[in-house]
């Protein structure tokens, strides 16, 4: 099975290139560690790729789109039709991710893994597992087989892009109502209460927020997902695009390509991926802290530290697109800054400085 094979292929970071990268960074014309997270990122990229002087080439943002039966419970003020109506705006470059992805020099790959209606826009990859999930407040989102298939869609799509030359992957999502299953996943896998991880999503007032919290609690009660079985959690309270994004993470990690996580939805997918294969965490880069309640807890659970704090909550991959600039900056630093010896500058003696 593709999923099992991919899980087995995920390795660990290469330590020798990381040590070489650290040595190079410490030799550059600056105090050691003074570029902070950029230096840490360069070392991580060296460990992922095996190249002590990592570079960023072709970059791709993969947007998984799917619908959710739970919108019938009044958890979103936005109508479900927006899921498919927004897709052409991605492709034409006028949506938020279209603008920011273009600025980052990233190609957008839009995948229909579970939109409720037929999507026949030119440029969309049709990988529909089923037309939307079931209503998780009343029963499971999908069958276990469909959950596996959604993850494998993500693996297939990302590895196809890597075969075409992608060296950096960003995650994006589209699906009205998808903060509700994401909250349910976070609650189960992270051991949180629905109140702790359920936020407002899109334009939600206090009344709808109370309903969302109630619906997440109902989903957990009705479905009883097993926190020790990530596929059971995905099948019972997840989403098709969330499964697809988990597959993108697994598929990229198996090929040793770094993955930039976006916001709340993609972090729920990251929790699923890590539950399936804990080693994938080392291949992930957290782009930003979402304005969505619960995102901080999810990142803390995963041990990831976001690079940007912009109170963004759009999704689509917008935070991942912005973070790609920082990934490139980390690579530029290690490759283009001069060392003390190269620049003919006297090296800093840390011992003397400390005295």
């Amino acid at each position: 099975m593709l999923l099992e094979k991919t899980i087995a292929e995920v390795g660990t970071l290469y330590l020798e290139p990381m040590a070489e990268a650290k040595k190079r960074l410490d030799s550059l014309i600056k105090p050691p560690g003074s570029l902070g997270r950029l230096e840490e990122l360069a070392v991580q990229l060296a460990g992922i790729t095996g190249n002590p002087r990592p570079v960023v080439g072709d970059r791709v943002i993969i947007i998984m789109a799917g619908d959710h039966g739970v919108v019938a419970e009044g958890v979103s003020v936005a109508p479900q039709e927006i899921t498919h109506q927004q897709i052409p705006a991605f492709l034409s470059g006028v949506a938020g991710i279209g603008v920011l992805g273009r600025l980052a020099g990233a190609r957008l790959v839009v995948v229909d893994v579970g939109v409720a209606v037929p999507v026949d826009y030119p440029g969309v990859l049709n990988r529909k597992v089923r037309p939307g999930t079931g209503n998780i407040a009343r029963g499971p989102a999908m069958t276990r087989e469909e959950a596996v298939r959604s993850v494998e869609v993500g693996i297939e799509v990302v590895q196809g892009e890597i075969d075409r030359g992608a060296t950096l992957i960003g995650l994006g999502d589209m699906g009205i109502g998808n903060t509700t299953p994401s909250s349910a996943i976070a609650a189960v896998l992270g051991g949180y209460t629905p109140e702790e991880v359920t936020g407002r999503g899109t334009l939600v007032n206090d009344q709808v927020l109370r309903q969302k919290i109630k619906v997440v609690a109902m989903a957990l009660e009705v479905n009883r997902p097993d926190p020790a079985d990530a596929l059971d959690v995905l099948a019972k309270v997840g989403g098709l695009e969330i499964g697809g994004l988990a597959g993108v993470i697994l598929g990229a990690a198996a090929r040793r390509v770094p993955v930039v996580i976006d916001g709340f939805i993609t972090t729920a997918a990251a929790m699923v991926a890590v539950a399936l294969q804990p080693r994938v965490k080392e291949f992930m880069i957290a782009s930003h802290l979402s304005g969505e309640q619960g995102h901080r807890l999810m990142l803390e659970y995963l041990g990831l530290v976001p690079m940007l704090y912009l109170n963004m909550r759009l999704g689509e991959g917008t935070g991942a697109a912005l973070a790609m600039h920082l990934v490139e900056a980390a690579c530029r630093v290690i490759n283009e800054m001069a060392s003390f010896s190269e620049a003919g500058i006297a090296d800093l003696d840390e011992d003397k400085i400390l005295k």
Side-chain angles (χ1 to χ4, degrees):
M1 186 168 73
L2 177 62
L3 176 56
E4 293 175 349
K5 176 176 178 288
T6 304
I7 287 171
E9 288 174 348
V10 177
T12 58
L13 297 182
Y14 292 133
L15 299 182
E16 188 172 331
M18 293 176 73
E20 289 183 50
K22 178 71 164 58
K23 183 178 180 181
R24 167 72 183 173
L25 289 163
D26 287 347
S27 76
L28 301 180
I29 50 174
K30 60 174 181 57
S34 58
L35 284 175
R37 293 289 308 284
L38 289 180
E39 296 191 38
E40 295 171 10
L41 185 52
V43 172
Q44 180 188 5
L45 292 168
I48 291 172
T49 64
N51 181 1
R53 303 281 287 268
V55 295
V56 174
D58 190 25
R59 57 208 81 177
V60 175
I61 296 173
I62 297 174
I63 302 170
M64 292 281 171
D67 277 311
H68 299 268
V70 75
V71 296
E73 300 295 327
V75 296
S76 174
V77 299
Q80 190 173 71
E81 293 76 22
I82 290 180
T83 299
H84 72 86
Q85 291 172 352
Q86 187 78 348
I87 289 173
F90 295 160
L91 297 166
S92 64
V94 298
I97 186 54
V99 174
L100 296 179
R102 184 166 59 247
L103 179 64
R107 291 188 293 108
L108 302 187
V109 176
V110 182
V111 185
D112 171 11
V113 68
V115 179
V117 299
V119 176
D120 56 3
Y121 305 118
V124 177
L125 292 182
N126 181 4
R127 300 291 187 272
K128 199 190 301 283
V129 173
R130 57 179 278 175
T133 58
N135 181 350
I136 61 173
R138 310 293 170 179
M142 64 192 93
T143 67
R144 188 180 183 89
E145 292 71 26
E146 288 166 340
V148 170
R149 182 62 195 138
S150 72
V151 177
E152 291 186 336
V153 165
I155 295 170
E156 292 164 357
V157 169
V158 73
Q159 295 195 341
E161 293 304 319
I162 292 168
D163 289 343
R164 281 185 278 275
T167 63
L168 180 64
I169 302 296
L171 302 184
D173 70 279
M174 184 62 217
I176 297 301
N178 61 8
T179 55
T180 299
S182 296
S183 296
I185 288 170
V188 177
L189 294 180
Y192 302 114
T193 66
E195 290 82 3
E196 288 176 307
V197 291
T198 304
R200 293 186 181 275
T202 303
L203 301 173
V204 163
N205 60 27
D206 289 347
Q207 180 182 350
V208 178
L209 176 58
R210 289 192 293 270
Q211 175 66 3
K212 278 184 72 175
I213 293 170
K214 177 183 175 183
V215 167
V216 171
M218 288 171 60
L220 303 184
E221 176 66 26
V222 167
N223 291 292
R224 301 282 184 177
D226 180 0
D229 183 349
L231 289 173
D232 187 64
V233 176
L234 179 62
K236 287 180 175 174
V237 298
L240 294 155
E241 79 274 40
I242 296 170
L245 291 165
V248 170
I249 296 168
L250 289 163
R255 294 287 188 90
R256 308 198 71 88
V257 172
V259 184
V260 185
I261 308 302
D262 187 38
F264 191 69
I265 313 305
T266 65
T267 306
M271 292 179 76
V272 173
V274 168
L276 288 168
Q277 171 51 279
R279 290 194 296 269
V280 300
K281 184 175 70 173
E282 297 182 324
F283 296 82
M284 298 191 296
I285 299 164
S287 62
H288 75 116
L289 179 65
S290 168
E292 184 69 13
Q293 180 178 322
H295 193 221
R296 177 183 57 80
L297 293 175
M298 296 160 79
L299 290 173
E300 288 176 356
Y301 172 82
L302 292 169
L304 298 175
V305 180
M307 292 185 287
L308 299 168
Y309 296 79
L310 299 173
N311 201 31
M312 293 170 59
R313 57 193 303 158
L314 176 59
E316 301 180 357
T318 48
L322 289 174
M324 284 182 168
H325 298 282
L326 298 179
V327 176
E328 182 171 8
C331 294
R332 293 289 188 98
V333 164
I334 199 169
N335 283 298
E336 297 181 18
M337 279 187 71
S339 68
F340 284 97
S341 61
E342 290 166 349
I345 299 174
D347 201 346
L348 295 173
D349 188 328
E350 280 191 271
D351 292 332
K352 289 181 179 179
I353 293 171
L354 292 173
K355 290 175 183 177

